[in-house]
Amino acid sequence: MVKKAIVILAEGFEEIEAVTVIDILRRAGIEVTVAALDELKVQGSHGITTLADIKLEKAGSDFDACVFPGGMPGATHLSVSKEVQGLIQKMNKEKKVIAAICASPALVLSPTGVLKNKSATCYPGMQTHFGQDTSYKTDNVVLDGNIITSRGPATALMFSLAIVEKLIGKETVKKVKKAVLAG
Amino acid sequence: MVKKAIVILAEGFEEIEAVTVIDILRRAGIEVTVAALDELKVQGSHGITTLADIKLEKAGSDFDACVFPGGMPGATHLSVSKEVQGLIQKMNKEKKVIAAICASPALVLSPTGVLKNKSATCYPGMQTHFGQDTSYKTDNVVLDGNIITSRGPATALMFSLAIVEKLIGKETVKKVKKAVLAG
């Protein structure tokens, strides 16, 4: 069965992080919904405007993975959204994949409690927002149970491939790596 | 003086390649114009729609660099555009930077003659479109005079940093690399 992921964009998202995830997951055959926190036209932190497929409030919650790009103030906008918080809690209960990169592990995931007793990484410096019950790592990508975290724009490709591996498997990762010349 | 670059998007552009260049050049302080070959809403080869700043026909030619992302059929669309061909010829005469990645060195640059007696790279396999007077290299990024070429999505960050180095210099590359965690 086709795996489904939702990538959530808020004003001020980091463009490389968002676009790399969407592109790589679609290359892997994952059905990706690009959801906007507010309006469908969403401007990133470097002035690139992307059109989302749907507003988050209409996207439902039938996904195998939810993904949160970083970027400021994008991550802050995501962090204060009740819908985002609710989605994370629901997906965590169902042991679905929750993936976040850059500022988002610290600002979006940590306050919801899903990083409790987990190892995680984030953009260097942002780990001050982790609770004491979260073990901060400096690896480019950290997988702990259903939670995948990563550090920043230069690790976005590795982060995306880690999501593909968790949802589908190593063989598909190999194919995608070959196609994008990362292998 | 602020350096100016134009990045040209056509339907079916490769999203990682385009967005990485725009993001990294703007991080470096380069004034980037995102121009659309046709309509301002441009859909990439993995279904991500980006809003361009301006149509190419209205963008003028006052730039220090022009950049061509790859992706299919994006590169094909760029290759048949008289405006794109004219811009490349003009910028080459003025020794301005011409940069292309993936399918675009082979499909967009080569037919205009600017790769004559130059070394260049492209997405593996596409080099059959190079003339016999172009020396195909398998490096991730090739700089030869005013021409910068690169291979594919996984080399987009290196490609972008090479453009920054050529337009501004190594110190700015260091700062950007540190900020995106590539250094």
Side-chain angles (χ1 to χ4, degrees):
Chain A
M1 221 171 65
V2 173
K3 297 287 182 178
K4 294 179 185 177
I6 182 169
V7 179
I8 304 173
L9 304 184
E11 286 286 317
F13 71 92
E14 214 299 320
E15 293 95 333
I16 294 172
E17 293 166 0
V19 165
T20 302
V21 167
I22 301 164
D23 185 320
I24 295 294
L25 267 56
R26 284 184 175 159
R27 281 174 180 266
I30 296 166
E31 194 180 299
V32 179
T33 297
V34 181
L37 199 60
D38 297 306
E39 297 305 310
L40 290 184
K41 279 187 193 178
V42 196
Q43 190 174 54
S45 49
H46 302 93
I48 307 172
T49 298
T50 296
L51 276 190
D53 302 321
I54 193 170
K55 289 189 183 190
L56 178 57
E57 63 190 41
K58 293 184 181 174
S61 61
D62 177 25
F63 300 101
D64 301 290
C66 58
V67 188
F68 302 97
M72 295 295 280
T76 302
H77 291 317
L78 293 174
S79 73
V80 296
S81 160
K82 296 287 177 209
E83 278 162 348
V84 167
Q85 291 163 11
L87 180 69
I88 292 170
Q89 304 277 10
K90 181 175 183 291
M91 293 198 65
N92 196 52
K93 267 186 201 156
E94 297 167 356
K95 299 291 175 209
K96 303 284 182 68
V97 172
I98 299 168
I101 184 168
C102 199
S104 286
L107 297 186
V108 185
L109 300 194
S110 192
T112 68
V114 299
L115 296 186
K116 209 172 167 178
N117 301 322
K118 297 271 187 192
S119 295
T121 191
C122 62
Y123 194 83
M126 299 299 296
Q127 70 272 19
T128 53
H129 295 268
F130 282 169
Q132 287 191 332
D133 42 20
T134 300
S135 171
Y136 172 62
K137 305 286 182 191
T138 58
D139 304 79
N140 285 327
V141 179
V142 175
L143 168 67
D144 190 346
N146 61 319
I147 310 282
I148 301 171
T149 51
S150 188
R151 310 202 86 197
T155 70
L157 181 56
M158 285 174 265
F159 172 63
S160 307
L161 292 168
I163 299 169
V164 172
E165 184 169 337
K166 181 80 179 164
L167 288 182
I168 308 183
K170 280 183 202 285
E171 280 307 306
T172 301
V173 169
K174 263 192 206 168
K175 281 179 205 162
V176 175
K177 280 178 87 168
K178 195 177 171 198
V180 299
L181 310 180
Chain B
M1 222 171 66
V2 173
K3 297 287 180 178
K4 294 179 184 176
I6 184 168
V7 179
I8 304 172
L9 304 184
E11 287 285 317
F13 70 94
E14 213 299 321
E15 294 96 332
I16 294 172
E17 293 166 359
V19 165
T20 301
V21 167
I22 301 164
D23 186 319
I24 295 294
L25 267 55
R26 285 185 175 157
R27 282 174 180 266
I30 296 165
E31 195 180 299
V32 179
T33 298
V34 182
L37 199 61
D38 296 307
E39 297 305 310
L40 290 183
K41 279 187 192 178
V42 196
Q43 190 174 53
S45 49
H46 303 93
I48 307 173
T49 297
T50 296
L51 275 190
D53 302 321
I54 194 169
K55 289 189 184 188
L56 178 58
E57 64 191 39
K58 294 184 179 173
S61 62
D62 178 25
F63 300 102
D64 301 290
C66 58
V67 188
F68 302 97
M72 294 297 280
T76 303
H77 290 318
L78 293 173
S79 73
V80 296
S81 160
K82 296 288 178 208
E83 281 162 345
V84 166
Q85 291 163 9
L87 180 69
I88 292 171
Q89 304 277 10
K90 182 175 181 292
M91 294 198 65
N92 196 52
K93 268 186 199 156
E94 297 167 356
K95 299 292 175 208
K96 303 285 183 65
V97 173
I98 299 168
I101 184 168
C102 198
S104 285
L107 296 187
V108 185
L109 300 194
S110 192
T112 68
V114 300
L115 296 185
K116 208 172 166 176
N117 301 321
K118 299 270 188 194
S119 295
T121 191
C122 63
Y123 194 84
M126 300 299 294
Q127 70 272 18
T128 53
H129 296 267
F130 282 167
Q132 287 192 333
D133 42 20
T134 300
S135 171
Y136 173 63
K137 305 287 182 191
T138 57
D139 304 79
N140 285 327
V141 179
V142 175
L143 168 65
D144 190 345
N146 61 319
I147 311 282
I148 301 170
T149 50
S150 188
R151 311 202 87 196
T155 69
L157 181 56
M158 286 174 263
F159 172 63
S160 307
L161 292 168
I163 299 169
V164 172
E165 184 170 337
K166 181 80 179 164
L167 288 181
I168 308 182
K170 281 184 202 285
E171 279 308 306
T172 301
V173 168
K174 263 190 207 169
K175 281 179 204 161
V176 174
K177 280 179 87 167
K178 196 179 169 194
V180 300
L181 310 180

